[in-house]
Each structure stands twice: as structure tokens, then as C-alpha cells.
Amino acid sequence: MKKRKHTLEIIIAAVFLISSATALVIHLNRESRGVIGVYRDGVLLSTFTLDGIEPLDYEVVGENGEMNLVHIDSDGARMLLANCPDKLCVLHGKLAGNEPIICLPNRVVVKWLSAAELSAETASRTDATLP
Amino acid sequence: MKRLLTALLCILLLASCSANNAKNPVTREFFAMDTVMTLTIYSVRGADRAQAADEVVALVEQLAEDILDKNATTADEEEMMRWATEAYNLTDGMFDVTLAPVIRAWGFGTGEYRVPAADELQALLASRNKDDIDYGGIAKGYASDLASSRVLGGQSGNSSIADFGGNVCAVGSRPDGKPWRVAVRDPLNTESTCGTLELTNCAAVTSGGYQRNFTQDGVTYHHIIDPRTGYPAQSGLASVTVVCETGALADGLSTGLFVLGKERALEIWRENRDKFDLVLIEENGALTVTDGLSFTSDRAFEVAS
Ligand SMILES: [Zn+2]
């Protein structure tokens, strides 16, 4: 009897742990759907908040003449132009779903920022806080 | 549960930050003058950033010890007195280092909080003198000035930011050449901030009643004492942020201008706009920023000119 009670406790604890782990994964993967980030070489170059944004073209230039032109409007983003050999990024079309636009040759990525990336970005924008 | 999530989130964030930051700064966190101090150095003259960081820590610890032992070198004491006098003159005497016995009577500094009797406060105010003074009101700002003048600054290309218990000292600019971004805490909701200042080569200090206080019989008493009454200042301001070249002056001014209130603070600023700039937050939440500052906020604010 005593042993069974113990087993029950372990099950409850396990269910709790699994559900909290799932909650965490969901929390981290939930993309804000409102902010797009443009990366080159894994470094976040710029972020764009779509709410009320004026359509714009953002140019990413690499050291060896790599060039990508990202078009951003309130609907999302797409790769307008690129001088990469395969043009897969341009063929990707609109940034939709969770699939980021990737230009492998030029090492450029356009994606929705996750909540975690967004808060890291906000934190990195501030160097100190006056108490 | 929420705490667990936050902790895990922090770990993940830290891991992702350290992975892609090639030019990591040298950082130090240490405890001095009753507060946590942080130092972040990107570049410094002589190029040995770790050695520079150690020098700053040693410098501040030595100054803290000297002040505590009333043993400050004549040069340090003269400098602190000079800035304390300037802050006194600029704030109609509302920043006053001879207020030390009154502040002690309230228990600020000692932690033994109490509400002194009115006649006790009057007696203490009347007997103020130059033999019982406390540089605590400008010591942290002065420490940041020393760090900047002796170790961190003095050469273009230097880049570091020090936070000595809310006395921020920005040397040069960020390594990417852009100004340092310093957030101003919201005094009415201290969990959040109410805007961001862009700073290069200057000091910034905030004084607010929320920073240190105690509650007795349902009344909250804060640590910024009005020298005219001996009681905590009630000027309608919730916090005053001063941006200025000198940390010690910013430290003293933020206290004195808090006591004076918004209208007088802005009057004094108009006569001395070459010396400092202000962010004023009133108890009703109204935000006023003087026009020498680069300030951004997601809420409305008034620009004083
Ligand atoms: Zn491509």
C-alpha cells in the first residue's frame, strides 16, 4: 500500500515535469509573428516590427560583394534580389509558417523572432539601467 | 513554475549570447559602498582590459575604505568637497553634506529605521556643522569620476560603462560606435523602465524616493530628506535623473533637485543648461525631458526647452 502511494507520487511528479518541459518548449518556440529578424553569419543585423511598418527594402552586403535585398511590409518579408548562384532564397517567396528564408551561399537568414530571441534582443539594446 | 521557466529562459539566453559574441567585454561585479557595482570594459588605453578592471576595483575599494575611516586623502576630500559645494550652490542648498546627523536619526545608512520626534529633528538641523559631514551622497559618483579619469578614459576609442549602484559612467561609446543605451527605471512600477537615454562620455544618476524607504503606521518614509524640514521631501517628483560630465556633481544634483521639485529644477536647468540635463518623473507619472538629451520612450513625454 505504502509502495503504491509512492509510485503514484512519482507518476504525478513525472507528469508535472513533462508538462512543464512541454510548456517551456512551446513558450520558446512560439514566434511573436510580429517581429522579423535579418541575420548574416548568425548575427542579428536588424529587426523589423511589422505593426504599422511602411514598406521598405533592406540591403545586406557581405565583405566579398555578397548582396541580398529583403523586402519588408506589414504582411511579412521576402527576398527581392540576391546575387547568390542558386537564387533559392528568392524562389522561397513570402516568409510564411515557421520556415525561415535562407540564403546559404551568402549566409543570410530572414525569420520571425521567437519570444526568447526578442527578449535577448531587447536586453542587448540596453547597456545599463538607472535604478 | 514561473520562476523555473524564467531561470531556464535566462540560462538559454546566456548560452545563446555567449555563443555569438566574438568581441566579449571584460566585466567585473563587486560590492562596495553598500551597493553592487558592475564594470564592463570593451577597450581601454594600454589594451590590458583585465588589468584595468582590477585597477578600478582596487581604486573604488580604497576610496570606500578611506571614506568609512574618515581617512580620505586630502586630494580626494578636496575634490568631493568641491563638487558637494557646487551641488549645494546649484540646488539652493538642498543638497547638503552636513545633513548627515538628520539622515542618521531616520536610520538611513544604519538600517535602524524610526520616525524621529519633531523637536529632535529641529535640534539636529540647528546643530549641523562642518565636523559631521557625510560624503555618501556623492561618493559613488566621485568613484566613477576617479575610475574614468585615472583608468578608463582619456583617449579616443576607449569604450566602457560602469554602474556604481545607479551611478552610470559611460566612457566613449559602444564598440559599434553608437551611443550607450541606458534605461531609466519607472519609479511608479519599479519592475519596468520608462525610456532609454543615449549617452556618450558622461555620467547619469537617478534619485528617487522608491530607492530606499521604510513604512511605519501605514506611512512610507523615503531617504531623501528636505534640509528645510528634516522630513522626507515631498515635491511631487517620483524620480530625478541627472546627466552630466561629472559623476559627483550628477549625484549631488539629483538629490537636491528632487527636493526642489519640477518647476524649480527646470528653472535651475535653464540657467545651467551647459552643465547638465534632466529626466523628471512626477508622482502622477508625467515625464519631462530637457532638450539636450537623446531620449526614447514608448510613452508620451514633454520636452522642456
Ligand atoms: Zn540566395
Side-chain angles (χ1 to χ4, degrees):
Chain A
M1 194 61 198
K2 210 173 183 184
K3 202 166 189 179
R4 182 167 297 167
K5 195 178 168 197
H6 211 76
T7 317
L8 191 67
E9 276 170 4
I10 289 172
I11 291 171
I12 291 172
V15 168
F16 177 76
L17 275 178
I18 290 167
S19 61
S20 55
T22 314
L24 175 69
V25 170
I26 291 171
H27 183 77
L28 290 180
N29 282 342
R30 196 191 57 206
E31 273 133 14
S32 56
R33 287 280 151 208
V35 184
I36 286 174
V38 179
Y39 294 75
R40 196 172 67 85
D41 287 328
V43 177
L44 182 58
L45 299 176
S46 194
T47 61
F48 301 92
T49 306
L50 297 196
D51 190 31
I53 198 170
E54 291 291 322
L56 63 96
D57 296 330
Y58 179 72
E59 192 179 21
V60 185
V61 181
E63 292 98 2
N64 303 313
E66 301 96 331
M67 191 282 292
N68 292 67
L69 196 62
V70 189
H71 178 80
I72 297 161
D73 57 33
S74 58
D75 257 7
R78 67 192 164 93
M79 199 70 81
L80 204 61
L81 275 174
N83 64 355
C84 56
D86 59 19
K87 304 282 188 278
L88 285 174
C89 53
V90 179
L91 293 170
H92 180 110
K94 211 119 204 153
L95 178 65
N98 285 343
E99 204 71 53
I101 304 173
I102 299 171
C103 180
L104 213 54
N106 291 357
R107 305 179 311 281
V108 171
V109 173
V110 180
K111 65 189 282 290
W112 299 103
L113 286 192
S114 69
E117 286 162 337
L118 200 57
S119 59
E121 213 277 321
T122 313
S124 75
R125 288 173 57 81
T126 305
D127 302 299
T129 300
L130 289 160
Chain B
M1 182 63 192
K2 203 170 179 185
R3 196 171 289 174
L4 178 72
L5 274 179
T6 316
L8 284 167
L9 206 61
C10 287
I11 291 165
L12 284 165
L13 288 180
L14 285 174
S16 67
C17 286
S18 55
N20 63 19
N21 194 345
K23 211 190 166 199
N24 281 328
V26 169
T27 60
R28 289 283 189 282
E29 188 172 302
F30 58 107
F31 193 83
M33 298 179 176
D34 274 336
T35 185
V36 177
M37 300 189 163
T38 59
L39 178 62
T40 307
I41 305 179
Y42 285 92
S43 56
V44 73
R45 68 168 174 258
D48 190 343
R49 302 180 300 169
Q51 193 191 323
D54 291 339
E55 276 175 41
V56 169
V57 175
L59 195 70
V60 175
E61 284 175 344
Q62 185 62 51
L63 179 69
E65 207 175 291
D66 289 345
I67 290 174
L68 216 59
D69 299 347
K70 307 241 178 242
N71 195 24
T73 64
T74 322
D76 283 336
E77 182 144 17
E78 270 174 17
E79 270 296 279
M80 283 191 285
M81 197 56 192
R82 178 180 149 216
W83 292 115
T85 306
E86 171 127 21
Y88 178 92
N89 291 336
L90 281 170
T91 60
D92 306 339
M94 293 305 116
F95 173 76
D96 190 342
V97 285
T98 68
L99 208 54
V102 182
I103 294 167
R104 268 201 310 274
W106 285 91
F108 294 111
T110 63
E112 291 157 25
Y113 299 128
R114 57 189 268 273
V115 181
D119 52 356
E120 182 188 349
L121 288 174
Q122 285 312 316
L124 286 171
L125 282 174
S127 64
R128 282 182 287 166
N129 66 79
K130 286 233 184 293
D131 294 327
D132 188 2
I133 58 175
D134 182 6
Y135 289 115
I138 57 164
K140 287 177 223 151
Y142 180 66
S144 78
D145 292 337
L146 278 188
S148 153
S149 66
R150 297 218 185 132
V151 187
L152 301 170
Q155 191 171 300
S156 73
N158 287 350
S159 168
S160 61
I161 189 159
D163 180 353
F164 291 173
N167 288 245
V168 168
C169 170
V171 176
S173 53
R174 283 165 66 101
D176 60 7
K178 291 178 182 160
W180 296 102
R181 301 189 189 96
V182 177
V184 179
R185 188 158 318 279
D186 182 355
L188 308 173
N189 173 19
T190 53
E191 299 275 284
S192 70
T193 58
C194 60
T196 307
L197 285 166
E198 292 195 333
L199 305 177
T200 37
N201 270 325
C202 64
V205 180
T206 301
S207 282
Y210 62 91
Q211 289 164 342
R212 198 171 282 188
N213 55 52
F214 68 95
T215 303
Q216 187 176 307
D217 301 325
V219 183
T220 299
Y221 301 91
H222 66 71
H223 71 297
I224 306 175
I225 304 297
D226 188 332
R228 296 166 295 196
T229 64
Y231 284 90
Q234 287 182 309
S235 62
L237 285 173
S239 81
V240 173
T241 299
V242 177
V243 175
C244 139
E245 234 169 70
T246 312
L249 183 58
D251 211 352
L253 284 178
S254 65
T255 306
L257 296 175
F258 181 94
V259 175
L260 286 170
K262 179 184 167 184
E263 295 315 319
R264 183 68 188 128
L266 287 176
E267 267 174 37
I268 294 171
W269 169 73
R270 287 190 183 97
E271 291 155 16
N272 300 277
R273 54 171 79 215
D274 55 322
K275 288 201 180 96
F276 62 91
D277 271 290
L278 300 171
V279 178
L280 305 174
I281 303 166
E282 291 168 70
E283 278 167 349
N284 63 12
L287 193 54
T288 307
V289 180
T290 59
D291 68 4
L293 289 174
S294 167
F295 182 80
T296 51
S297 176
D298 52 12
R299 62 176 79 172
F301 60 89
E302 190 189 324
V303 178
S305 54

